[in-house]
Amino acid sequence: QKQHQSQKQELERLQEQHATNEAALEEQRQRQQSLRESFELQVAEHERARQAYDERASAQLAEAEAWKSEQLAKEREMERDASERAAALQAGRLQLQAEREAFEVQL
């Protein structure tokens, strides 16, 4: 009888310990799930931030390339204008020289 009582108490103690372990395990699973969800949210937020950064960087690069292209076009236009002015100036000098020579011949 006494041994039966002792075995019954041991069984109850083991059952309580098992229930405690099960509760602790469930609590651990819930904490892990919560951490996993938090981590996934952080990863998603990081990915959104990275995409936004990439989009801003791409837009800034496109702006810089457009500005550079515009500056090069302006530079070519200025060079063309300068070349045309130089040619017109040279033509004016030649005409002035020819007129001077013609005038000197008349004298």
Side-chain angles (χ1 to χ4, degrees):
Q1 178 84 16
K2 207 169 193 179
Q3 187 179 0
H4 180 69
Q5 182 67 22
S6 175
Q7 287 176 342
K8 186 177 176 184
Q9 287 175 344
E10 179 64 13
L11 180 59
E12 288 174 359
R13 188 188 69 76
L14 289 174
Q15 287 173 335
E16 283 179 26
Q17 187 177 7
H18 178 71
T20 301
N21 288 345
E22 283 291 324
L25 184 59
E26 181 57 30
E27 187 179 312
Q28 179 66 24
R29 282 187 190 124
Q30 288 176 1
R31 275 199 309 267
Q32 269 186 317
Q33 181 63 27
S34 177
L35 287 172
R36 185 178 299 113
E37 290 170 359
S38 175
F39 175 74
E40 288 171 356
L41 287 173
Q42 288 177 349
V43 167
E45 180 57 33
H46 175 76
E47 181 61 21
R48 283 191 294 274
R50 187 192 63 75
Q51 284 181 331
Y53 174 83
D54 286 349
E55 289 169 6
R56 284 192 307 275
S58 292
Q60 289 174 344
L61 181 59
E63 283 181 31
E65 289 174 348
W67 181 85
K68 180 181 176 183
S69 178
E70 183 179 314
Q71 296 307 308
L72 290 173
K74 286 180 181 179
E75 185 178 325
R76 284 191 298 272
E77 185 178 337
M78 287 172 44
E79 288 173 355
R80 187 173 48 250
D81 289 349
S83 178
E84 289 171 1
R85 284 193 299 271
L89 185 59
Q90 181 63 21
R93 283 189 190 128
L94 291 174
Q95 183 172 350
L96 185 59
Q97 182 179 357
E99 289 175 5
R100 181 183 307 134
E101 289 173 0
F103 179 72
E104 290 175 354
V105 167
Q106 288 178 359
L107 291 179

